[in-house]
Amino acid sequence: MRTRTLGSNGPAVSALGLGAMGMSGAYGAADRAESIATVHAALEAGVTLFDTADFYAMGHNELLLAEALRGRDRDSYRLSVKFGMLRAPGPGFGGHDGRPEAVKNFLAYSLTRLGTDHIDIYRPARLDPDVPIEETVGAVKDMIDAGYVRHLGLSEVDAATVRRAHAVHPVADLQIEYSLISRAVERDVLSALRELGIGLTAYGVLGRGLISGHWSAGRAAGPGDVRGLSPRFSGGNVEHNLTLVEALRRIAGAKGCTVAQLAIAWVAAQGEDIVPLVGARTRERLAEALPALEVDLTADDLAEIEKAVPSGAARGDRYPSAFMSGLGVGN
């Protein structure tokens, strides 16, 4: 497994990370035993970066990862944890909380659920509009100084917020959606990250499965699957978006890889400072994703991909309208 470093001050991690959200029901029912087996397979393949959040199924995801990682050398993997999104009983969200006292409270619970004495990268999931980012990251800095956190991360914020946070404490990486169909980060955020020496961990590299090559227009999201609320999967949009996938399928066929591998390889090819996160829930999907790191995209390949799926080609927002206002950048 190749490695990449998250920014100029962050940790060295595997060049591909595993996002665990889908193992806690975000995309419908998940198999606990298969989820744990997938984490084990990732470890055996050399994956060292595992991403979760305290609000993924109200702590379920952290407990699942703790079980899957039990007995492993703590220095052999890195935990990336998001905090600050409030939940309520049922499927709803209740806003954000970036107050310093809340940050430390969230951390105490995460450390216990994960069964660890430290978190490698700790990050607010979204910007709390009622709390200056300086106060939120200042609390994380306190926890870094106390030894409970190793590095500060951010998630889904704009370039100005990145700069303000970085002035308080060096930011290791920004986690943000980045894929062939979600490229808003390219406008000004990516250049700011590179100016400041901050890495990028890219989630949604397969557009929640939309550009994986495995979704079809007639497929309906099942119970508990958040894609049922996604504008990009809605009727009228999904058909158009899948024509982009077919264009990618032709390019992938010529390269001797799958559509998913091509899409992951494209993200990885955007810079050595970018680490794609894949949300594989099964060993089968993980096994498909891992060889993407070996797909060599030439300048001609990248130009052909750009022609097939230019920036802004997808139809529909990447989140339902209620969530779009909480993002630092758009689609």
Side-chain angles (χ1 to χ4, degrees):
M1 173 65 68
R2 301 173 186 173
T3 62
R4 292 184 171 185
T5 301
L6 294 179
S8 57
N9 72 90
V13 298
S14 53
L16 191 72
L18 182 64
M21 182 183 75
M23 297 178 180
S24 293
Y27 300 128
D31 183 311
R32 186 178 188 86
E34 180 61 26
S35 296
I36 291 172
T38 301
V39 173
H40 290 169
L43 289 163
E44 290 159 12
V47 173
T48 62
L49 179 61
F50 296 88
D51 182 77
T52 184
D54 60 12
F55 52 87
Y56 289 167
M58 285 64 75
H60 174 278
N61 203 241
E62 291 180 319
L63 292 168
L64 178 71
L65 271 183
E67 182 177 348
L69 295 168
R70 188 171 297 130
R72 304 281 175 163
D73 180 356
R74 183 60 184 86
D75 292 331
S76 68
Y77 60 87
R78 302 286 178 264
L79 288 171
S80 166
V81 180
K82 295 182 290 297
F83 67 87
M85 291 191 73
L86 303 178
R87 297 297 305 263
F93 283 84
H96 311 88
D97 194 345
R99 296 171 301 141
E101 58 269 34
V103 173
K104 297 171 184 180
N105 177 73
F106 293 140
L107 177 61
Y109 279 91
S110 286
L111 290 169
T112 298
R113 283 190 294 257
L114 287 163
T116 184
D117 63 357
H118 71 278
I119 287 171
D120 298 285
I121 312 163
Y122 201 48
R123 68 183 83 245
R126 297 290 187 272
L127 180 67
D128 183 341
D130 298 323
V131 179
I133 189 63
E134 291 85 354
E135 294 184 15
T136 302
V137 301
V140 178
K141 180 183 182 300
D142 289 345
M143 297 296 91
I144 291 173
D145 293 342
Y148 296 115
V149 174
R150 295 291 187 264
H151 301 279
L152 167 67
L154 296 172
S155 177
E156 286 289 355
V157 294
D158 61 17
T161 303
V162 170
R163 293 182 187 280
R164 289 170 57 192
H166 194 67
V168 175
H169 187 84
V171 177
D173 73 314
L174 170 68
Q175 185 177 119
I176 198 163
E177 188 165 354
Y178 188 29
S179 72
L180 275 164
I181 59 172
S182 294
R183 296 171 61 178
V185 69
E186 294 176 343
R187 285 197 286 272
D188 57 13
V189 173
L190 192 52
S191 60
L193 297 180
R194 287 171 171 162
E195 174 194 335
L196 298 171
I198 299 172
L200 188 152
T201 46
Y203 76 89
V205 294
L206 296 179
R208 298 170 181 79
L210 182 58
I211 58 171
S212 67
H214 301 297
W215 196 267
S216 58
R219 178 178 171 182
D225 190 333
V226 297
R227 290 172 292 194
L229 303 174
S230 172
R232 288 186 173 171
F233 287 83
S234 67
N237 289 338
V238 70
E239 293 83 1
H240 166 80
N241 293 334
L242 288 175
T243 65
L244 305 176
V245 177
E246 292 311 306
L248 290 176
R249 198 183 304 276
R250 291 190 291 273
I251 299 171
K255 291 292 293 183
C257 65
T258 69
V259 175
Q261 289 164 355
L262 186 72
I264 297 167
W266 181 88
V267 174
Q270 302 311 301
E272 289 290 322
D273 51 353
I274 298 173
V275 175
L277 297 172
V278 295
R281 295 190 294 163
T282 65
R283 285 168 287 181
E284 180 183 6
R285 290 288 178 257
L286 177 68
E288 180 183 16
L290 290 169
L293 297 176
E294 307 304 321
V295 177
D296 180 28
L297 297 179
T298 67
D300 287 343
D301 293 331
L302 292 170
E304 188 175 3
I305 293 169
E306 180 69 24
K307 183 178 179 181
V309 187
S311 181
R315 288 184 185 168
D317 288 337
R318 58 188 175 102
Y319 278 100
S321 57
F323 286 87
M324 289 299 294
S325 61
L327 304 178
V329 300
N331 289 312

